[in-house]
Amino acid sequence: MPHLNSVKEPNSGGSPRLVDSPLPLRVDRRRGASIITERFFPVSYRTLETWPVTWRRVNGRCTCDTRELLAVAEEKLAAAPSLKGGRQRHHTANATIAT
């Protein structure tokens, strides 16, 4: 089966790097969800039904181009808001109240 050897994956620094393991040219929803979960973020195969990806029905199974699927995943990751973790201290104007 042909594989994608030059698919890029974002790393923590924000710049893409080449992925070591080859990917198939086309994947079904379950395999696509597995790849995205391994490389980007957790996702269900049912969620992929709503993504703007071109699906082709082959032998009763929907498949899509792996590059297109990964491109949509990258777009979703780039559009996701950044959140600070940890305990936040809330300051109020009247921090000290006399009793």
Side-chain angles (χ1 to χ4, degrees):
M1 175 181 256
H3 294 282
L4 297 174
N5 291 324
S6 61
V7 174
K8 294 181 179 180
E9 172 188 330
N11 59 15
S12 60
S15 61
R17 66 177 175 82
L18 292 179
V19 174
D20 297 333
S21 62
L23 297 172
L25 290 175
R26 301 191 65 80
V27 292
D28 64 5
R29 288 188 181 107
R30 287 186 190 266
R31 179 67 179 131
S34 174
I35 291 170
I36 292 169
T37 297
E38 290 170 5
R39 297 167 184 265
F40 294 98
F41 48 84
V43 68
S44 164
Y45 74 95
R46 294 293 304 258
T47 300
L48 298 185
E49 294 176 3
T50 63
W51 285 20
V53 178
T54 304
W55 296 96
R56 294 180 185 259
R57 185 172 294 274
V58 179
N59 293 330
R61 300 290 298 255
C62 286
T63 63
C64 72
D65 181 44
T66 306
R67 290 181 190 193
E68 182 182 3
L69 187 63
L70 293 177
V72 172
E74 284 186 37
E75 290 173 8
K76 289 190 174 286
L77 185 60
S82 296
L83 304 173
K84 280 189 170 182
R87 191 171 212 170
Q88 300 293 322
R89 294 183 68 171
H90 298 286
H91 297 283
T92 61
N94 297 328
T96 56
I97 301 175
T99 56

